[in-house]
Amino acid sequence: MDRLSVWPDVRERWILYEDDDILVVDKPAGVSSQAADVDRPDDIVTRLKSYFEARGKNAYLGVHQRLDRDTSGVLVFARRREANASLATQFEGRKVRKTYLACVTGWPGGRTAAVLRDWLAPSREGGARVVRGRAPGAKEAVTRVDVAGRQGPRAILTLDLETGRTHQARVQLAHAGAPVAGDVEYAGGAAPRLMLHASALGLHHPRTGAALRFEAPTPADFGSWLARGDLGEGIYDDPEALGRALERALERRWALARAADGPRATTAFRLVNEDGDALPKLAVDVYADWAVVQLHGGDGPWADAARREGLLDRVHALGFDGVYLKIRPKQANLLVDPRRDDIAPRAPSRGNAAPDELTIVEEGVPLLVRLGDGLSTGLFLDQRANRRRVRGLAEGKAVANLFAYTCAFSAVAATGGARRTVSVDASVAALERGKANLAAALARANGPAGDHSFVAVDAFAWLASTARQRDRFDLVVLDPPSYSSTKHGRFVADTDYEDLAASALAVLSPGGRLLACTNHRKITQARFRRLLFEAARGAGRDVVQIKDLAEDLDFPVGPGGERHLKSALVTLRP
């Protein structure tokens, strides 16, 4: 796979206009204006500079405006320092005319035009909120609204922003009872994306003074949404809409995709995360040069073979060397054989096969996966952020990794300088793969080996034995399956996690930490916190903090959704 082709710096169609003084681009949804991670910059400015440098051109860009990551549309940059003064004067003096398009529901049927005039102040979440009067820190926001189109409860609005406040259009429309569709932060309804587009921008040329107006084409999703609303699972019957959704996912994952070298090199991540990327019941994971397509539910949109084949063709056409297929039933825990060829073919469904044991890199740590070995590959990608946390906490610590599977947590703890790791899992085969993972990680790290052991036993029995022996650990990783059957009986996270967490807390040293995780869909993050507090009380352990932990940005949640993986770090009093 040619990553520079799949994830280029800039796509030529984004550039609307360029001369010696200014550059005008149509920024796509999914590309940020400002890098969220300074170690992995993925913003439009960084990408444009790299694009120009690769062509031997002047890479200077003067920044005078920003758009939210998932807002598309017109952005203007200075191409030489001398152009900055004029552009700054125009933007700061409200002489630049900014026009947006917004798809909304809830706009009154008889209201064809309006002027929204509010006072906005920063919110605790980093956005904005409407406040009364001139509250401390508040600034006036003025937006003129006209109805450009209407279909039933849906409307496309034209917005002229007279001021330029953070999230101005989004928060004002939400306050008016018509939130932008797809706006998770301000209670917008389901949509293919954040349905806000900077459609036009008017200003005067910084050198000649000529009046200029630049327009970015209306995104095709806007017309589709107005006519039919959120496509939902019907998106798989619209090849063009499906292609646009996959392309947005590519842009959102650009920073990860291009981080294939250096100390934080990562070659495995999630490309599509179901409703979080407006693609229901579909997940697509990247492992080096291959993609793994996961169809959830087994029925619904995937009961139709033509849909499945069309999807596989689309994913392969993105540029991957091969595409593997996993069809996940509604209740995978009841599946007798997860390696059945009808749900997890050993051979790729498209393209070339990956090596039987493929080495990927995560945050600079090599890990081994098997793409054709049943429903699981050997690595849970949604735990990448937690593995990074464990690596940062592990130096000099004794770490217990329960339900260790292929021991990825143990491998990153070892590279982080753990003096001791114990990997516990009932599967001997999984632990054998774990030994290979740890050996590969330590070989790359080239550091002290430490004391690393592997125990093939039921985790419940190991916890009881360890507590009796008064063996203690500084960090325990607890990530059980939602359902399992053991010699001690059946474990169901919904009812049994509290007792399990209490047993894990009992083997922690004073000041120790428990990284607790569950992907049980019935357990919310709020309930998980309460459960862990009760577990600590039951174990008689004094808790200093229970901190909720978030996944990385490649696992977005759809409007009104709950994170699939719930994680928390429990810290005991020293």
Side-chain angles (χ1 to χ4, degrees):
M1 179 179 71
D2 180 1
R3 283 182 179 252
L4 291 179
S5 176
V6 179
W7 284 281
D9 291 321
V10 171
R11 301 181 193 273
E12 297 285 350
R13 66 178 181 274
W14 298 354
I15 298 179
L16 299 175
Y17 176 85
E18 181 186 5
D19 64 22
D20 291 340
D21 297 279
I22 60 173
L23 170 72
V24 185
V25 301
D26 179 8
K27 185 191 80 65
V31 178
S32 63
S33 293
Q34 188 173 359
D37 185 343
V38 295
D39 294 327
R40 282 183 180 153
D42 63 347
D43 56 284
I44 188 67
V45 176
T46 297
R47 294 177 64 171
L48 283 165
K49 287 183 176 180
S50 180
Y51 170 82
F52 288 128
E53 287 170 354
R55 285 156 179 76
K57 299 177 68 174
N58 165 36
Y60 177 79
L61 292 172
V63 180
H64 296 274
Q65 61 172 145
R66 292 186 174 90
L67 294 174
D68 296 330
R69 186 192 70 165
D70 291 320
T71 299
S72 56
V74 181
L75 278 176
V76 175
F77 301 95
R79 288 292 280 130
R80 61 190 186 98
R81 288 179 173 81
E82 291 79 2
N84 283 320
S86 173
L87 292 176
T89 298
Q90 293 182 66
F91 275 101
E92 294 168 8
R94 300 186 185 180
K95 295 179 180 179
V96 176
R97 183 172 180 179
K98 294 173 283 187
T99 304
Y100 286 71
L101 292 176
C103 297
V104 305
T105 54
W107 188 260
R111 196 179 189 188
T112 59
V115 177
L116 304 181
R117 194 180 299 272
D118 300 292
W119 290 91
L120 305 186
S123 67
R124 292 180 179 178
E125 295 77 22
R129 58 192 175 92
V130 173
V131 296
R132 293 183 179 180
R134 300 193 179 190
K139 295 182 179 179
E140 188 179 29
V142 180
T143 302
R144 298 186 180 276
V145 183
D146 291 287
V147 177
R150 185 185 290 278
Q151 181 72 39
R154 300 180 297 278
I156 296 182
L157 307 180
T158 299
L159 314 174
D160 284 324
L161 274 61
E162 294 190 4
T163 54
R165 312 304 181 200
T166 298
H167 292 185
Q168 175 174 321
R170 296 166 61 186
V171 71
Q172 285 193 284
L173 288 170
H175 183 68
V180 178
D183 194 340
V184 177
E185 190 167 346
Y186 297 104
R193 47 161 285 194
L194 175 64
M195 304 297 276
L196 185 63
H197 177 64
S199 60
L201 190 145
L203 47 67
H204 288 85
H205 193 279
R207 180 170 49 83
T208 67
L212 302 173
R213 178 178 170 83
F214 302 103
E215 297 185 5
T218 301
D221 286 313
F222 281 42
S224 298
W225 179 88
L226 184 64
R228 293 176 285 170
D230 174 36
L231 291 175
E233 295 177 5
I235 194 170
Y236 303 115
D237 293 320
D238 186 336
E240 297 307 313
L242 173 59
R244 292 192 296 270
L246 290 173
E247 185 168 310
R248 280 193 298 275
L250 285 178
E251 298 305 338
R252 289 173 175 170
R253 309 306 191 265
W254 188 89
L256 283 167
R258 293 289 294 270
D261 300 303
R264 293 192 64 189
T266 296
T267 60
F269 54 90
R270 176 146 291 185
L271 176 63
V272 172
N273 193 50
E274 302 186 65
D275 295 293
D277 287 295
L279 290 166
K281 297 186 178 180
L282 170 66
V284 180
D285 294 326
V286 175
Y287 292 89
D289 297 336
W290 287 266
V292 174
V293 170
Q294 301 182 61
L295 309 181
H296 289 270
D299 53 5
W302 309 122
D304 183 78
R307 274 181 169 176
R308 292 199 300 268
E309 296 305 309
L311 171 66
L312 292 168
D313 287 340
R314 280 276 176 177
V315 173
H316 188 223
L318 294 176
F320 295 102
D321 285 354
V323 179
Y324 285 80
L325 175 65
K326 317 286 184 186
I327 302 176
R328 295 190 174 276
K330 286 184 177 180
Q331 290 186 291
N333 60 295
L334 300 179
L335 194 64
V336 175
D337 183 8
R339 291 180 171 82
R340 280 171 25 197
D341 205 58
D342 60 323
I343 61 171
R346 177 170 292 276
S349 297
R350 297 290 185 278
N352 301 320
D356 288 342
E357 194 153 68
L358 174 67
T359 300
I360 62 92
V361 181
E362 181 183 272
E363 302 278 345
V365 178
L367 297 169
L368 306 174
V369 296
R370 296 175 183 174
L371 305 188
D373 189 26
L375 285 175
S376 297
T377 64
L379 184 67
F380 297 119
L381 297 183
D382 56 355
Q383 289 283 18
R384 185 177 65 252
N386 282 335
R387 285 189 286 268
R388 181 169 61 245
R389 294 179 181 108
V390 165
R391 189 180 183 185
L393 293 170
E395 186 173 7
K397 302 293 195 301
V399 180
N401 181 13
L402 307 183
F403 305 94
Y405 188 34
T406 60
C407 308
F409 275 111
S410 305
V412 298
T415 62
R419 61 179 172 81
R420 177 191 179 199
T421 68
V422 178
S423 302
V424 181
D425 199 279
S427 170
V428 174
L431 290 179
E432 287 301 315
R433 293 176 66 181
K435 291 176 183 178
N437 258 334
L438 191 135
L442 286 174
R444 172 74 66 91
N446 197 27
D451 176 14
H452 308 292
S453 58
F454 302 83
V455 184
V457 68
D458 174 71
F460 303 91
W462 182 87
L463 282 168
S465 173
T466 301
R468 288 194 300 270
Q469 295 171 14
R470 297 186 180 278
D471 193 3
R472 295 296 178 262
F473 292 83
D474 305 299
L475 175 62
V476 173
V477 178
L478 183 65
D479 182 26
S482 294
Y483 307 90
S484 67
S485 296
T486 73
K487 294 179 180 179
H488 298 272
R490 181 171 171 77
F491 172 81
V492 179
D494 187 37
T495 55
D496 302 326
Y497 198 108
E498 182 180 323
D499 290 340
L500 176 62
S503 297
L505 287 164
V507 302
L508 277 177
S509 303
R513 291 183 170 98
L514 171 68
L515 173 61
C517 311
T518 182
N519 59 11
H520 196 290
R521 291 185 183 271
K522 292 184 179 180
I523 300 178
T524 65
Q525 188 71 45
R527 183 186 167 201
F528 195 46
R529 285 177 58 84
R530 293 194 299 269
L531 181 155
L532 292 171
F533 270 117
E534 290 302 316
R537 187 167 67 176
R541 305 308 302 264
D542 190 2
V543 171
V544 174
Q545 182 188 52
I546 296 181
K547 182 180 180 181
D548 293 341
L549 303 175
E551 297 165 272
D552 274 329
L553 294 178
D554 51 328
F555 286 85
V557 176
E562 174 85 15
R563 291 204 308 266
H564 180 58
L565 177 67
K566 277 73 66 173
S567 304
L569 187 65
V570 183
T571 303
L572 300 185
R573 190 173 300 281

